[in-house]
Amino acid sequence: MRLEGDGLYLRPYEPGDATPLLDIVLRNRNFLAAYEPPRPDAYYTLEGQRHIVEIDSERWDAGLRYAFGVFLPSGRIVGRVALDNVVLGAWHNATLGYYIDRELNGRGLGTRAVGLVVEFAFRRAELHRVQAAVMPRNPASARLLEKLGFRREGRALRYLFIGDRWEDHDMFALTIEDWPRGRRPLV
Ligand SMILES: CC(C)(COP(=O)(O)OP(=O)(O)OC[C@H]1O[C@@H](n2cnc3c(N)ncnc32)[C@H](O)[C@@H]1OP(=O)(O)O)[C@@H](O)C(=O)NCCC(=O)NCCS
């Protein structure tokens, strides 16, 4: 599975990506710590990154998570976008998570990468709804979602454990009715 965009492509991580993945997570450790749940020390090892690749692959096969690496045309890994907690039935919903290498922020990579994964969610994974949760102190992420047409639905109090505390989050969502083919030529 490969998603092609303007100046980037996305594909699931492969076992051979573990070394460059370790490099990006180490370089962005302090940056991402402000936005992510606490990570065990093992996460910052080659074995830990191999484990992430394996778990992503198992969850993809089970239809529970669709995780993509974000790559420049050169093959450099610059981030990750994942649809997680995929539930079908009456919900057909997934949660969205993403990051882009801090040194490449502000160039539109995040918006284009998330746009490609939303397109995948609606056109290939046949989901009806995609949701994302953003801390009020993360305006770049909120702006990214608004550029893609996400609705701000309200504030969920003490929603996720980030760093060392339960943080309030603003809930954003799109349903397929908001994403007609051709209306948003972002991807
Ligand atoms: C959020 C993140 C993915 C954005 O990636 P990116 O590649 O910089 O995104 P883009 O360049 O496509 O868009 C970012 C937008 O936010 C805007 N922005 C950046 N900092 C901002 C700030 N402090 N206040 C308001 N807007 C801001 C940018 O100007 C840009 O909008 P524009 O195109 O209208 O100018 C990246 O900053 C990141 O990885 N953050 C840490 C992890 C994270 O927050 N993940 C999401 C958790 S919900």
Side-chain angles (χ1 to χ4, degrees), residues 28 31-32 34-36 78 80 96-102 104-114 132-135 137-145 147 160 169-170:
N28 286 273
F31 172 50
L32 294 179
Y35 304 104
E36 294 187 339
V78 294
R80 170 186 173 94
L96 186 58
Y98 43 85
Y99 76 85
I100 295 291
D101 192 341
R102 184 176 201 172
L104 295 173
N105 273 205
R107 302 174 187 209
L109 288 170
T111 306
R112 298 204 295 282
V114 174
V134 180
M135 285 181 286
R137 62 179 165 82
N138 192 355
S141 182
R143 173 77 187 129
L144 179 160
L145 294 169
K147 285 194 288 181
L160 288 176
H169 282 70
D170 291 327

Side-chain angles (χ1 to χ4, degrees), residues 91 93-94 96 118 122 128-134 145-146 148-154 170-176 178 184:
W91 206 13
N93 184 75
L96 186 58
V118 171
F122 291 144
H128 175 252
R129 183 173 183 274
V130 174
Q131 68 180 68
V134 180
L145 294 169
E146 282 168 353
L148 289 170
F150 277 74
R151 283 187 302 280
R152 192 186 286 256
E153 296 194 319
D170 291 327
M171 305 301 296
F172 289 80
L174 267 181
T175 59
I176 193 169
D178 308 318
R184 297 176 199 281

Side-chain angles (χ1 to χ4, degrees), residues 8 10 13 17-18 20-29 31-33 35-36 39 43-44 49 52 56 67-71 77-82 96-106 109-111 113-114 117 138 141 144:
L8 80 179
L10 280 65
Y13 291 136
D17 295 325
L21 269 176
L22 180 60
D23 175 64
I24 190 172
V25 300
L26 284 174
R27 283 189 299 100
N28 286 273
R29 185 172 184 165
F31 172 50
L32 294 179
Y35 304 104
E36 294 187 339
R39 303 284 193 186
Y43 179 80
Y44 300 101
Q49 291 304 309
I52 298 286
D56 278 354
F68 292 88
V70 183
F71 297 81
I77 294 177
V78 294
R80 170 186 173 94
V81 183
L96 186 58
Y98 43 85
Y99 76 85
I100 295 291
D101 192 341
R102 184 176 201 172
E103 68 182 33
L104 295 173
N105 273 205
L109 288 170
T111 306
V114 174
V117 172
N138 192 355
S141 182
L144 179 160

Side-chain angles (χ1 to χ4, degrees), residues 4 29 40 45 58 71-73 75 83 85 88 108 114 125 131 143 151 154 162 164 171 181 184 187:
E4 296 286 347
R29 185 172 184 165
T45 64
E58 286 172 17
F71 297 81
L72 297 182
L83 293 164
N85 304 300
L88 299 181
V114 174
Q131 68 180 68
R143 173 77 187 129
R151 283 187 302 280
I162 304 292
D164 61 357
M171 305 301 296
R181 192 184 291 276
R184 297 176 199 281
V187 294

